[in-house]
Amino acid sequence: MEAGPRDTDQEAPDARHEAGRLSPDGPDEHTVVPEVEVELRPARRLRIWQLAPIVVLAALGSLMFAFPLAFEFGDGGPLVAMLGLLISGCAAGWGMMAARRVGHTWPGLPARGAPERPDWRMVGLYVAVCAVLVALAVWRVARLG
């Protein structure tokens, strides 16, 4: 006896496959399944090695800003507080830059390269909140000196 492929249609004529009949070179033309595109790259997210230095700098800066203001550290208090505020601001900017790089946006602002325009009310709200926070920080540090 020869070893070779079996013709199952001769042995079981009732068996029909969903893919259709096979020809010697593959499936029939009418049974071609449409291709499905799948994204092979993983979703872009902030990794722990990106977040750790940002969180550490923000915590260090906020502690440097808060302790001299809360406990009156002598003549160097305002200087340490302003340095802490600077480090906190740098950490916040670094975090926003890293988030934008992976595709995150602020509410009301379009993604980079998008055709829509930013919502001017949200931009105004962001500017107002930042201005109030900076004014309060400078006012508090100025009162120490």
Side-chain angles (χ1 to χ4, degrees):
M1 266 183 115
E2 292 181 9
R6 294 184 181 175
D7 190 3
T8 56
D9 283 341
Q10 290 178 354
E11 292 178 8
D14 297 336
R16 296 283 179 220
H17 302 290
E18 291 180 15
R21 298 181 51 93
L22 291 178
S23 64
D25 59 343
D28 292 337
E29 293 300 321
H30 61 83
T31 60
V32 175
V33 179
E35 294 181 11
V36 177
E37 292 186 24
V38 177
E39 182 67 35
L40 297 177
R41 292 177 289 166
R44 295 180 72 179
R45 293 186 304 224
L46 286 174
R47 307 280 186 230
I48 189 68
W49 61 268
Q50 292 171 313
L51 287 176
I54 297 168
V55 171
V56 168
L57 276 179
L60 178 71
S62 62
L63 288 175
M64 286 177 68
F65 179 66
F67 275 103
L69 298 179
F71 300 114
E72 299 290 334
F73 270 35
D75 293 340
L79 179 66
V80 173
M82 286 305 288
L83 183 61
L85 184 63
L86 178 67
I87 291 174
S88 296
C90 290
W94 191 5
M96 286 189 298
M97 186 177 62
R100 184 150 176 96
R101 192 168 198 161
V102 297
H104 297 297
T105 61
W106 287 71
L109 299 179
R112 186 184 308 190
E116 64 255 10
R117 299 180 54 136
D119 184 12
W120 63 270
R121 293 173 294 192
M122 293 302 288
V123 172
L125 179 67
Y126 294 143
V127 169
V129 167
C130 288
V132 166
L133 290 176
V134 167
L136 286 174
V138 169
W139 174 69
R140 178 65 174 121
V141 172
R143 278 190 33 205
L144 288 176

